[in-house]
Amino acid sequence: MSTIKLPENPEANPRVKAVFDDIRATRKSDFINNFWLYLAFDPALLEETWQGVKSVMAVPSALDPLTKELLYIAVSITNSCRYCVHSHTAAARAKGMTDEIYADLLRVVSTAGRTNQILNAIQIPVDEKFEADT
């Protein structure tokens, strides 16, 4: 259950409508998902969040779109964000993620989680070589 109410007719607010129109144009889809619909309760927060997401996820960069989605899934799994796991898994599938790629991603995420927990528990010092190479 949400901690806020879904705004009624959010596009009656011109700021919200402008963001939603930009989401539609950027994604080439008429679908506005619940994340954006609920964020419309505060137009400033909606605008800030969309600009941040758009600048990272929709603007071409050194990472290809599928890799960005895979990273988003990995972080969402780690942060236990059920909504983001589902939405970015759907986005990754739309960008070409196969079941084989998804299985590999899950292997990496679970392996990293396990080894991170062991390292955090033991507090092993970082090798000087790793420190020098960064």
Side-chain angles (χ1 to χ4, degrees), residues 40-59:
F41 87 98
D42 185 294
L45 181 60
L46 174 69
E47 289 167 341
E48 293 165 14
T49 306
W50 169 243
Q51 286 308 312
V53 170
K54 180 181 176 183
S55 70
V56 171
M57 298 303 288
V59 173

Side-chain angles (χ1 to χ4, degrees), residues 18-82:
V19 172
F20 285 5
D21 287 346
D22 192 34
I23 290 170
R24 290 181 184 105
T26 301
R27 293 182 169 173
K28 298 175 180 64
S29 171
D30 287 334
F31 180 66
I32 301 294
N33 61 20
N34 279 340
F35 178 63
W36 304 113
L37 291 171
Y38 275 81
L39 274 185
F41 87 98
D42 185 294
L45 181 60
L46 174 69
E47 289 167 341
E48 293 165 14
T49 306
W50 169 243
Q51 286 308 312
V53 170
K54 180 181 176 183
S55 70
V56 171
M57 298 303 288
V59 173
S61 68
L63 294 175
D64 65 89
L66 177 56
T67 300
K68 289 180 182 185
E69 293 297 344
L70 294 173
L71 288 167
Y72 216 114
I73 294 167
V75 172
S76 299
I77 291 168
T78 301
N79 288 331
S80 300
C81 183
R82 181 177 176 269

